[in-house]
Amino acid sequence: MPATRRKAAPDTRRKQVHLAAQLPGIHNVTVWSDPRSESQISIDSFIRLAQTVERGKFDFFFLAEGLRLREHKGHVYDLDIAGRPENLTVLSALAAVTTHLGLAATVNATFNEPYEVARRFATLDRLSGGRAAWNVVTSYDAFTGENFRRGGFLPEADRYTRAAEFLRVARQLWDSWTDGDLRADASTGEFATARAGHFEHRGRHFDISGRFTTPPGPQGHPVIIQSGESDAGREFAASDAEVIFSKHSRIDAARDFYRDVKRRLAAYGRGPEDLLILPTANVVVADTDAEAAAYAEEISRALVSPQTAIAHLEAVWGRDLSAYDPDGPLPDSEPEDDSHLLKGHSVFRKGRAETARRWRKLAEERNLSIRELIIKVGGRHTFVGSPHTVADAIDHYVQTEGADGFVLVPHITPGGLDDFVDRVVPLLQEKGVHRADYTGGTLRDHLGLSHTPRPAVWGGPAPRDQKETSA
């Protein structure tokens, strides 16, 4: 049983550390191969991890999603998880077994329609008492589109214009119900006003009209998340998102990204507090820094097997490299830009020659083998050390504007964040940079974001406040 620690009041002079958790669906073979891991698709695993991080007063629990299993040389890529249930269905189940934790899902704006997505998120927000978030993503490739009989129907240059219009339409649907529209007046027999739910949108990508069936949830609009690193993605985040994921592993690059995205907000009439930047990160905690470093090395080698290292290399070089020794040097040859041995993988599809040049330079400077290089360049930022070391590092990263917090990704499931919650979170609370308890009932409350107007009368529970949960 962890020792009881003093939980300091929030230090208003310092930035608060926002924390979220993600149960990974790709890039993390140990969530199904490590003997300490349990099922990666059982509802029990989702419930246990969600309840663990809610105990740690995290902002939200996040599920990413891919619409097609990637392929490597015609076979399912071994870093993908087959059989993962659909995100919003899982989060709806988690809404019943959590009370405050935000529930965030990736839903694709390329292969869905605004009406059905807006309705599903309005429903989740109602079921959860105001805790829904939508990570808006796009797809570029015909390979994914084949699952929808729409392969190649959308030019890549249009993916963000469609996503922006998609989001505008969704917001129009949520706003089609206004205060007073839902009457439920037994004395007059009027349930809803004649205008309730009416919408009409005429645009380049969507031409729809009708009546939206579902009044919005307690937040009005779910929290909008974006995860693009490109210039177009950053601009989309600055104009429309409230959280942006990033993946910079060096603090100098993270600070550059932070400053760049935050400076774009003013053009849209927004301030720095209106968009939170949360990089994904791994965390390895042990009694001492040395023990944690040894454990982190063990995890890294488990995550990047010899065959995985070669697969990553082939994704860049665009040719079969199975004859190369993973513990040997990189190929001397240059990549082939038009070859796609790894289908559905977006990371290495552009700038392969430049990627190869950077990798070769790094390998030469540090005398790295193929596998050692892939471990170095392929991982997320990782906090490694004793509980005090990890707490200090996370706090420093946030206070020096490398991030507003982190989305932590465990390497085993579902217990991969137990040590962090039990041993690191109390130290962050002692510093006064992480909440001792939830002070509001919605995800927008946790993130310090404004709410949007919503109908004042309807059936179902009101958002939980702190008084209710302490009763």
Side-chain angles (χ1 to χ4, degrees):
M1 181 71 68
T4 301
R5 297 181 180 271
R6 181 179 62 86
K7 296 180 179 181
D11 187 341
T12 57
R13 299 166 300 175
R14 305 175 69 207
K15 290 178 61 179
Q16 294 296 292
V17 174
H18 291 278
L19 295 173
Q22 174 187 348
L23 200 160
I26 61 173
H27 302 308
N28 208 327
V29 67
T30 54
V31 297
W32 58 263
S33 66
D34 192 298
R36 293 163 295 184
S37 283
E38 299 175 22
S39 173
Q40 77 278 10
I41 61 175
S42 165
I43 188 60
D44 291 340
S45 293
F46 292 101
I47 290 172
R48 178 178 162 188
L49 181 58
Q51 290 181 335
T52 296
V53 298
E54 184 169 60
R55 177 164 52 82
K57 314 305 176 187
F58 280 40
D59 290 343
F60 62 88
F61 177 80
F62 168 62
L63 292 178
E65 184 166 71
L67 295 180
R68 181 161 182 173
L69 288 172
R70 296 173 298 173
E71 293 181 7
H72 179 236
K73 298 179 181 177
H75 299 282
V76 174
Y77 190 46
D78 70 355
L79 293 188
D80 282 7
I81 292 176
R84 168 69 72 82
E86 188 273 330
N87 286 350
L88 288 173
T89 305
V90 173
L91 295 181
S92 294
L94 295 182
V97 294
T98 56
T99 59
H100 283 76
L101 185 67
L103 304 167
T106 292
V107 175
N108 192 290
T110 304
F111 299 112
N112 282 291
E113 295 296 322
Y115 187 96
E116 60 182 355
V117 171
R119 185 166 179 255
R120 291 159 69 197
F121 274 106
T123 300
L124 178 62
D125 207 53
R126 288 306 309 159
L127 289 176
S128 65
R131 297 185 277 140
W134 172 20
N135 180 35
V136 184
V137 302
T138 64
S139 288
Y140 72 91
D141 62 317
F143 177 73
T144 298
E146 291 172 357
N147 277 354
F148 300 88
R149 297 183 180 272
R150 301 169 74 175
F153 87 100
L154 183 70
E156 183 175 352
D158 288 342
R159 61 182 181 145
Y160 278 115
T161 62
R162 176 184 165 96
E165 186 177 342
F166 193 116
L167 183 55
R168 287 197 300 274
V169 177
R171 284 172 166 157
Q172 182 180 348
L173 293 168
W174 293 321
D175 291 342
S176 65
W177 286 80
T178 60
D179 285 347
D181 277 350
L182 192 57
R183 299 288 178 83
D185 188 340
S187 65
T188 64
E190 183 183 28
F191 181 73
T193 65
R195 68 175 182 270
H198 273 296
F199 68 90
E200 181 176 352
H201 175 85
R202 310 295 178 197
R204 177 183 173 191
H205 295 280
F206 306 104
D207 184 352
I208 59 175
S209 61
R211 190 189 290 267
F212 189 53
T213 60
T214 310
Q219 295 186 113
H221 297 175
V223 171
I224 300 300
I225 303 173
Q226 206 274 331
S227 54
E229 292 277 334
S230 67
D231 186 74
R234 297 182 191 202
E235 204 66 26
F236 180 42
S239 64
D240 285 298
E242 291 154 310
V243 173
I244 182 170
F245 295 151
S246 69
K247 54 186 177 182
H248 299 284
S249 59
R250 298 193 336 266
I251 194 166
D252 55 341
R255 287 172 181 153
D256 288 344
F257 179 85
Y258 189 96
R259 286 191 293 266
D260 178 63
V261 173
K262 296 277 187 174
R263 71 168 176 80
R264 296 173 188 244
L265 293 165
Y268 301 97
R270 308 177 72 197
E273 71 283 356
D274 294 325
L275 176 65
L276 301 179
I277 298 176
L278 305 180
T280 54
N282 297 117
V283 60
V284 180
V285 182
D287 290 341
T288 68
D289 290 353
E291 289 174 353
Y295 186 27
E297 174 67 19
E298 175 188 331
I299 294 167
S300 294
R301 295 189 69 80
L303 286 171
V304 182
S305 66
Q307 62 268 30
T308 297
I310 294 298
H312 270 69
L313 201 67
E314 290 176 337
V316 173
W317 260 257
R319 61 168 66 96
D320 187 330
L321 300 175
S322 56
Y324 280 77
D325 180 1
D327 295 318
L330 270 66
D332 293 330
S333 59
E334 294 302 316
E336 297 178 0
D337 284 337
D338 296 331
S339 180
H340 295 278
L341 271 72
L342 184 56
K343 292 184 177 181
H345 199 309
S346 64
V347 177
F348 303 128
R349 63 194 179 89
K350 290 184 177 180
R352 289 175 171 175
E354 174 59 20
T355 298
R357 186 194 65 78
R358 288 189 288 105
W359 284 13
R360 194 175 282 120
K361 182 174 183 291
L362 179 61
E364 290 173 354
E365 289 175 348
R366 303 194 183 186
N367 193 30
L368 301 176
S369 68
I370 291 173
R371 187 180 182 191
E372 289 169 338
L373 174 74
I374 298 304
I375 289 173
K376 181 69 178 176
V377 301
R380 303 177 182 92
H381 184 84
T382 303
F383 293 103
V384 178
S386 69
H388 281 279
T389 296
V390 170
D392 289 345
I394 288 175
D395 186 36
H396 175 72
Y397 216 103
V398 171
Q399 302 310 323
T400 59
E401 297 191 332
D404 293 307
F406 293 92
V407 181
L408 301 182
V409 185
H411 69 281
I412 59 174
T413 184
L417 292 180
D418 290 357
D419 282 345
F420 182 88
V421 168
D422 292 335
R423 305 180 70 184
V424 179
V425 165
L427 297 175
L428 295 172
Q429 291 168 331
E430 284 185 359
K431 291 173 178 285
V433 297
H434 183 62
R435 67 176 65 88
D437 209 344
Y438 294 105
T439 56
T442 71
L443 178 53
R444 289 183 175 276
D445 292 331
H446 308 340
L447 298 172
L449 300 171
S450 62
H451 288 64
T452 51
R454 65 187 191 275
V457 180
W458 48 40
R464 298 175 176 87
D465 58 25
Q466 196 57 37
K467 183 177 180 180
E468 286 179 306
T469 60
S470 61

